[in-house]
Amino acid sequence: QVHLVESGGGLVQAGGSLRLSCAASGRTFSSLPMGWFRQAPGNEREFVAGTTWGRGPTYYADSTRGRFTISRDNAKNTMSLQMNNLEPEDTAVYYCATGFQGLDYERTHDRARNYIYWGQGTQVTVSS
């Protein structure tokens, strides 16, 4: 089993920045796919960013590419999401996820149902 805990959320004005962190305990997830998702009230859980290993490919949603950067420290079992130039539309609860069970990460990394381990979420609120 893997336990994930997000931190770093908060209130920020539009154009500001936040850095989210995800700490893992239990079984290590080094070299395993990980991702960030977000969910706003009334909406489905939305893919934000994903990665496999440091030198491997990274993936971003169209709405976050160029503004957000995902990274991971396998030695510390942590993952981060640097969010710059935040917009009110970024307001949501952000979740980190791992335990990818799909057969093809490249094709299905953005499907929430493919991840079995989730954190409790951290609230990000961007004011106008």
Side-chain angles (χ1 to χ4, degrees):
Q1 298 294 311
V2 176
H3 185 228
L4 304 175
V5 179
E6 302 94 338
S7 62
L11 175 64
V12 64
Q13 294 184 356
S17 299
L18 284 174
R19 184 177 177 87
L20 306 182
S21 295
C22 174
S25 61
R27 187 177 66 189
T28 61
F29 52 51
S30 180
S31 299
L32 296 177
M34 297 189 67
W36 287 95
F37 290 76
R38 66 188 182 187
Q39 188 167 18
N43 293 347
E44 295 183 346
R45 193 163 297 183
E46 175 190 22
F47 173 77
V48 175
T51 186
T52 53
W53 61 94
R55 295 183 178 87
T58 56
Y59 300 90
Y60 296 92
D62 290 342
S63 60
T64 63
R65 186 179 299 110
R67 298 187 299 121
F68 292 8
T69 303
I70 187 172
S71 62
R72 62 189 295 176
D73 187 334
N74 291 334
K76 297 181 179 179
N77 284 338
T78 59
M79 179 177 64
S80 297
L81 183 70
Q82 179 66 44
M83 305 185 295
N84 297 326
N85 195 24
L86 285 162
E87 304 169 350
E89 292 75 17
D90 296 316
T91 296
V93 176
Y94 283 70
Y95 301 88
C96 63
T98 191
F100 184 81
Q101 296 294 298
L103 297 178
D104 190 338
Y105 179 77
E106 180 178 340
R107 292 173 59 88
T108 64
H109 56 270
D110 59 342
R111 300 179 184 177
R113 64 178 177 84
N114 281 340
Y115 299 82
I116 63 173
Y117 298 116
W118 295 85
Q120 84 290 344
T122 184
Q123 177 70 49
V124 172
T125 302
V126 184
S127 62
S128 300

